[in-house]
């Protein structure tokens, strides 16, 4: 249903981002991958997407903490793929510490990559979308865009910011054919979460899998991790014509976390 569209997915070298890129390619989208990774390895992944799905695929290592590089990434995607019909802002980093001990440099880095980069990418991508009368912006927020947790001040602030930005962009573009939504995953067993599981296991002196179960029991009523494929499926739906009148929403995919 998205055949011939072109998508830019930031933070898509692995995990949720790569799953989203793969799902969009499967539906016929040309895709631009982005992130900090080995260029040769990413060239192989891009070539695999082309081989498997018959789409154009490329990689750009723009640093999302630098506004000029974010804008250049949007421009490069338009040049290589013929436009940016779909923008998925997925790049993100994490650091945990109490507010009074939180390193200021980590606060600045998280806000820059998790929030400001989203603004810069949307700002660059919107005008051509509006001109064409069709566009999809999907921002990866988190359950932490809806509720808070301890020791994650910067991450929670950035993700709440994304939800607010999503609503503003949606309202400003209502009726233009451009929608803007956020997806809010709960625990997804990515590399970022693996580090938190390992820290929990070490803190309590338990095995890794016991640490994983402990994290789930604390927050996620389903007692199951959300999969990257499930998040990707939600993003593809929000890009479809069936979701043309869904805009300005933050959709939890969290096993019941935010229902509590």
């Amino acid at each position: 249903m998205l055949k011939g569209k072109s998508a830019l997915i930031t933070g898509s070298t692995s995990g949720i981002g790569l799953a989203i890129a793969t799902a969009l390619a499967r539906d016929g989208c040309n895709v631009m991958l982005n992130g900090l990774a080995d260029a040769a390895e990413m060239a192989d992944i891009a070539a695999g997407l082309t081989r498997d799905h018959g789409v154009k695929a490329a990689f750009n290592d723009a640093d999302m903490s630098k506004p000029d590089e974010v804008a250049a990434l949007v421009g490069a995607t338009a040049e290589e793929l013929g436009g940016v019909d779909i923008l998925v802002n997925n790049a993100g980093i994490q650091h945990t510490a109490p507010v009074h001990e939180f390193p200021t440099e980590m606060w600045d880095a998280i806000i820059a990559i998790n929030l400001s980069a989203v603004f810069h990418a949307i700002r660059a991508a919107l005008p051509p979308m509006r001109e064409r009368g069709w566009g999809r912006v999907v921002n990866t927020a988190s359950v932490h865009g809806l509720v808070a947790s301890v020791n994650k001040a910067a991450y929670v602030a950035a993700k709440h910011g994304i939800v607010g930005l999503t609503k503003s962009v949606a309202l400003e573009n209502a009726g233009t054919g451009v929608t803007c939504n956020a997806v809010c995953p709960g625990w997804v067993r990515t590399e970022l979460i693996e580090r938190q599981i390992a820290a929990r296991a070490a803190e309590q002196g338990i095995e890794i899998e016991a640490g994983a179960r402990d994290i789930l029991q604390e927050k996620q009523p389903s007692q199951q991790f959300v999969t990257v494929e499930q998040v990707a499926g939600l993003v593809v739906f929000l890009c479809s014509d069936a979701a043309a009148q869904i805009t300005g929403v933050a959709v939890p995919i969290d096993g019941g976390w935010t229902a509590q």
Side-chain angles (χ1 to χ4, degrees), residues 71-105:
L73 171 61
V74 174
T77 303
E79 184 174 337
E80 293 188 49
L81 302 183
V84 180
D85 302 297
I86 296 167
L87 170 63
V88 182
N89 290 298
N90 179 72
I93 60 173
Q94 173 68 288
H95 183 81
T96 59
V99 171
H100 64 284
E101 297 174 359
F102 211 95
T104 56
E105 65 274 14

Side-chain angles (χ1 to χ4, degrees), residues 87 89 118-119 122-123 126 129-130 136-139 162-176 178-181 247-248:
L87 170 63
N89 290 298
V118 178
F119 160 76
I122 292 173
R123 183 177 184 274
L126 265 179
M129 288 181 180
R130 289 170 59 93
R136 298 289 187 267
V137 178
V138 182
N139 301 319
I162 284 179
V163 171
L165 176 60
T166 296
K167 293 177 180 180
S168 290
V169 172
L171 290 174
E172 290 176 11
N173 293 277
T176 67
V178 179
T179 67
C180 183
N181 295 292
T247 193

Side-chain angles (χ1 to χ4, degrees), residues 64-65 93 105-118 153-159:
M64 302 308 291
S65 70
I93 60 173
E105 65 274 14
M106 286 307 305
W107 171 277
D108 291 342
I110 289 170
I111 296 301
I113 294 171
N114 293 21
L115 179 58
S116 295
V118 178
Y155 191 81
V156 170
K159 295 303 186 179

Side-chain angles (χ1 to χ4, degrees), residues 219-238:
K219 299 284 191 179
Q220 202 144 296
S222 68
Q223 301 300 297
Q224 296 176 327
F225 287 99
V226 180
T227 69
V228 295
E229 291 81 11
Q230 288 165 344
V231 179
L234 175 57
V235 172
V236 170
F237 169 70
L238 290 173

Side-chain angles (χ1 to χ4, degrees), residues 1-9 21 23-32 53-57 77-78 80-87 128-129 132-136 177-178 236 239-241:
M1 61 186 166
L2 297 174
K3 188 174 178 61
K5 302 292 188 186
S6 294
L8 164 59
I9 308 96
L24 288 170
R26 190 180 299 120
D27 260 27
C29 252
N30 303 314
V31 294
M32 175 64 79
H53 307 295
V55 299
K56 294 179 182 177
T77 303
E80 293 188 49
L81 302 183
V84 180
D85 302 297
I86 296 167
L87 170 63
M129 288 181 180
R132 290 191 297 269
W134 196 95
R136 298 289 187 267
V178 179
V236 170
C239 293
S240 72
D241 287 340

